[in-house]
Amino acid sequence: MAAPVMDTCHVSCCANRAPNVVSWGRGGLIAFGTCNSVAIYNPEEIRVVDLLNKHTGRVNAVQWVHEPDCSPENQLISGGSDNNVIVWEKLDGKFRACAVCSGHSGPVCAVDAVSLSSSHLLVASASSDSTVKLWTYSSDAAECLQTVAFGSGFMMDVSLALLPGSRVPVLACGGDDSRVHLYVQLSGQFQRVLTLTGHEDWVRGVEWANKDGELWLASCSQDCLIRVWRLFAKTAAEPDLQTDGIIKMKENIFQVSGEEFAVTLETVLAGHENWVYGIHWQPPSVKGDSVEQSLKLLSASMDKTMILWGPEEDSGMWVEMVRVGEVGGNTLGFYGCQMSPDGSMILAHAFHGALHLWHHDSNQEWRPSVVISGHFNAVQDMSWDPEGEFIITVGSDQTTRLFTPWTRKGSSQITWHEISRPQIHGYDMQCLTMVGRFQFVSGADEKVLRVFKAPRNFVENFAHISGTSLEKLLGCNDIADLPEGASTPALGLSNKAVFQGDLASPSPQQDGGDFNSLSDQYKESYFQPLKLAEPPTEDDLLQNTLWPEASKAEHASILLWSTASWKQLQSLSCHSLTITQMAFSPNGQLLLAVSRDRTWSLWRRGNPDLDTEAMFSLYANTSKDTSVHTRIIWSCDWSADNKYFVTSSRDKKVIIWGHAGSGVAVGEGEDARVTSCSSVLDVGDSATAVSICPFLCSDHSYLLAVGLENGQILLYKWKPLEDLSSESDWSRCKDTDACQGHTMVVKRLRWRPRLGRGGHGGQDSKEEQAWVQLASAGADHVVKIFDINLSAL
């Protein structure tokens, strides 16, 4: 057979933002709505095998029509924002739209169908027009059988089944009145026979299961609970025994053609911490000549978890058997869930359309699996890399995504996968272009062009997945110069580089399940390097595959402004990353700046007599080679006599700098170098703030306050010594206790510039001269002021 002129190699897409939009068939195929299409996805091949196009609006609901004998389905129902319901049928191996059911006046949000005979279907659809419509479909024709109106209410989900021991259809509807309504077809028309109460918020999902001649109905709600009901036929011979001490569940009874049926509440499942949007029974399976239904129920919630529930064998009590999820990153929770025909795989779809798949491995553990992914809004631009080995796309979903082919071990089939999400932005993306092999420029609605360069972790993983030589990829680039990865700061619009030194190493306390500080619990960088042999999961795409924005030195410049004219006087360029703090020396001759690039710079003012503008020029600075700090420098301050300045860093170090041994103010020593004058003080946690008291202690030592990431404030005395090897130049005076300190990061420390306590009279008295005051500000919304007795130190 001749090869096709045009063949689809890859389809990248994701599920629409709707609870009922994914359905897993007995034939192993997953159908889901993506924009205005229905995608047919094969999870074994990890690719979309077909796209069904007929809807003119967003597809909101998809449901396979299950065969009674559990054979692969040949029919599919979909409902969309074009107000239509479409019946799809498989003919000659391809699905085609056989009937369009038009009649709703609003978007269709839920559909279900039950097979009444080999050629006859009963279809139910719920819409935002406050109605549920029932349709009959046979031989390529559909007609509306009945419209059930709910006034001003809305039904969120519908489920059809056949009553036990009969061919009479029963319809369950869950709605915004917090109730589950049961309808039974009597004399050709559906009539309400029961209203099940108990939920306290909108009922989001309902689904029937048939086990041993009884119907089980699960309902889930925004009240975070799941209720399981049992519907069974009451036999006339069954005596109504009142047994002492046994609590009998209340039976709701209705009659159909003279036969009595009862509904009881079997259990209430509480385990989710947010709205439960989706429920799904484990599909029935064929055992010998009979069809067996397992009583296992899967639920998906906005709390980002999926739970598998079931009754214990011994007690019959319903318990939580498996819980998966808790996705990181900026995701909202799960909208719906499905289970594979054999129960070995479970699937959830999330708020942003991503599919999350777990499989039951040989060790009986649930592990995440590779799935396809794609944009959840319009794709605006794309660009190939110069070698044609991957493609980068940008979209109105504010993401940039990189796709590359992957050859699985033991398989000749090549599938394309998203292996990096270099940019997750705060504006809709509009354009991009590759600049060289591993660098691109993208533009968004913010009207700013941003440059991104691949981190080392991406290059390594790209080599593993694509089967390319790492040496070849790096070429002449020195891999040591590439950052490990990138992370997005809170409220940040773009990504910052994460270098090897920034990666959080687990502390012994963490291993023991104990946290010694907030620093261990809330890392500044959430990036963790991945070693990938296969495409990453959605969780990793969101968090660990970002690319850093290529920093340019001019973006880390210091801008000097005149406070008289408010005109910009000068731009001082030295640092390569964000400047975190600056401080003028008390005499106004020097400007100190510290940066994320782990270095400090010192700028000296020109002679005002010779230069009216008195421009600043670089006087001294540390480089990556000469810097003692190995992490971001958070804070800096000057001593009141201009002789020393101090820096504090995330590496837990506090260091004092100056002209060692000269005794002159910084900047005045002829040809004297600025070096560290103290031993390195390790304060045990990230030192986020530091300040030198403007008044000396009685022994002529300097008093410093150091604020930590865990909220604690430490007081140290420091005295210049010639021999620093003993580290006796530092002495610890005081630590704040649990009540005094902050509960979150100390952001700033400031000493009162006068001796004494503010508000106390007699500031010049000997008693007041013994006191100084320290103010602190924390991320816990609190400002504190401390009185400190110098004479007591």
Side-chain angles (χ1 to χ4, degrees), residues 695-699 703 717 755 766-772 787-793:
F695 308 103
L696 293 175
C697 298
S698 54
D699 60 356
L703 178 64
K717 286 203 295 187
L755 281 168
K766 192 171 182 183
E767 185 186 347
E768 279 305 311
Q769 294 278 306
W771 292 92
V772 288
D787 294 335
I788 294 159
N789 191 331
L790 281 176
S791 58
L793 296 173

Side-chain angles (χ1 to χ4, degrees), residues 698-732:
S698 54
D699 60 356
H700 301 291
S701 61
Y702 295 85
L703 178 64
L704 286 87
V706 182
L708 305 184
E709 194 175 40
N710 63 16
Q712 200 175 20
I713 299 168
L714 315 177
L715 293 182
Y716 283 90
K717 286 203 295 187
W718 175 75
K719 204 167 188 178
L721 295 176
E722 282 189 18
D723 179 20
L724 301 177
S725 58
S726 63
E727 297 184 2
S728 57
D729 53 336
W730 292 101
S731 57
R732 193 159 173 169

Side-chain angles (χ1 to χ4, degrees), residues 296-298 306-310 319-322 339 366:
K296 284 185 180 172
L297 183 67
L298 191 61
M306 212 171 23
I307 298 177
L308 186 61
W309 310 85
V319 293
E320 177 183 311
M321 301 165 80
V322 178
M339 192 182 289
W366 290 90

Side-chain angles (χ1 to χ4, degrees), residues 599-648:
T599 67
W600 55 257
S601 62
L602 203 53
W603 305 81
R604 185 160 67 170
R605 197 178 187 189
N607 189 334
D609 300 332
L610 303 174
D611 183 1
T612 51
E613 292 291 338
M615 300 297 247
F616 279 76
S617 58
L618 186 63
Y619 174 68
N621 69 294
T622 51
S623 65
K624 280 188 177 178
D625 300 328
T626 59
S627 176
V628 184
H629 289 296
T630 57
R631 306 291 281 276
I632 173 176
I633 304 177
W634 282 124
S635 186
C636 62
D637 197 18
W638 285 90
S639 64
D641 56 16
N642 302 290
K643 290 181 180 179
Y644 305 102
F645 62 87
V646 64
T647 56
S648 74

